[in-house]
């Protein structure tokens, strides 16, 4: 498929229904977790969206900072009709640039799309060596599910089954 021309921009609260529409089939296929609507509104400032030439949302992704040097790419998704058109690549590159801009040096993701993230420089994580023991202890205090997934805590195992934990150093 040729590259789909898209414009990237920060997400707005009015994008939440379209984000949920794109997430729904991925959640039905158990590739993404379905989140409560309030979770999207609470994190809207973390999202970047991609619009096609008609102004329709065709993809999005979020960057969530977890620690001084560590962030997570969350909920990176592309509408089925735009898959293979470079939208995911454009979104991921924007999120990595945002990570650099805020001073993050490592980016984590939890994904079924291992080939996609591998092609973008991510490696499978074997352990929590991305953080030293003191930071690990601090992260254990977080109530954030993404942090728990990064730490591979037992309480999030039902959410992570089949997913691969990956990381990239910037």
């Amino acid at each position: 498929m040729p590259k789909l021309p898209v414009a990237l921009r920060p997400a707005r609260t009015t994008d939440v229904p379209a984000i949920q529409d794109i997430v729904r089939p991925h959640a039905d296929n158990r590739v993404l977790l379905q989140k409560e609507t309030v979770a999207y509104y609470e994190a809207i400032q973390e999202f970047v969206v991609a619009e096609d030439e008609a102004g329709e949302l065709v993809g999005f992704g979020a960057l969530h900072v977890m620690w001084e040097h560590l962030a997570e790419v969350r909920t990176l998704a592309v509408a089925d009709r735009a898959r293979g058109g470079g939208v995911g690549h454009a979104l991921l590159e924007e999120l990595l640039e945002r990570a650099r801009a805020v001073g993050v040096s490592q980016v984590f993701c939890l994904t079924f799309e291992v080939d996609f993230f591998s092609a973008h420089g991510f490696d499978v994580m074997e352990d929590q060596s991305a953080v030293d023991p003191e930071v690990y202890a601090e992260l254990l205090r977080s109530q954030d599910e993404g942090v728990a997934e990064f730490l591979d805590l037992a309480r999030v195992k039902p959410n992570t089954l089949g997913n691969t934990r990956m990381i990239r150093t910037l």
Side-chain angles (χ1 to χ4, degrees):
M1 178 178 206
K3 187 174 179 185
L4 182 69
V6 294
L8 302 181
R9 63 167 174 80
R12 297 188 283 260
T13 57
T14 54
D15 294 322
V16 169
I19 288 171
Q20 290 180 300
D21 287 345
I22 292 172
V23 167
R24 195 167 293 110
H26 296 294
D28 291 346
N29 292 329
R30 309 197 85 173
V31 173
L32 288 176
L33 289 175
Q34 184 65 47
K35 296 178 184 176
E36 297 296 332
T37 302
V38 67
Y40 291 111
Y41 286 113
E42 288 175 340
I44 200 68
Q45 71 280 1
E46 296 180 349
F47 279 83
V48 174
V49 299
E51 291 180 330
D52 65 13
E53 291 176 312
E56 289 187 45
L57 207 71
V58 292
F60 54 86
L63 181 74
H64 180 79
V65 174
M66 299 167 71
W67 199 255
E68 178 182 4
H69 72 287
L70 183 66
E72 179 185 8
V73 169
R74 292 186 172 177
T75 322
L76 179 62
V78 175
D80 286 340
R81 67 182 178 80
R83 285 181 65 98
V87 177
H89 170 79
L91 285 164
L92 182 56
E93 288 302 317
E94 175 63 22
L95 294 172
L96 294 175
E97 190 53 41
R98 286 177 173 219
R100 287 181 193 97
V102 297
V104 167
S105 60
Q106 290 184 301
V107 179
F108 161 78
C109 69
L110 184 68
T111 186
F112 287 105
E113 301 292 341
V114 174
D115 292 341
F116 172 81
F117 282 96
S118 291
H120 290 87
F122 283 75
D123 295 310
V124 174
M125 255 182 90
E126 302 299 332
D127 57 29
Q128 283 76 32
S129 61
V131 296
D132 62 39
E134 293 82 21
V135 172
Y136 185 91
E138 289 288 334
L139 289 174
L140 281 174
R141 296 181 177 131
S142 175
Q143 298 299 308
D144 185 273
E145 290 299 300
V147 172
E149 291 164 351
F150 170 77
L151 297 175
D152 204 24
L153 301 180
R155 70 179 170 86
V156 294
K157 291 294 184 188
N159 293 344
T160 64
L161 291 177
N163 279 290
T164 300
R165 295 163 64 247
M166 301 185 79
I167 196 159
R168 175 178 167 178
T169 299
L170 301 178

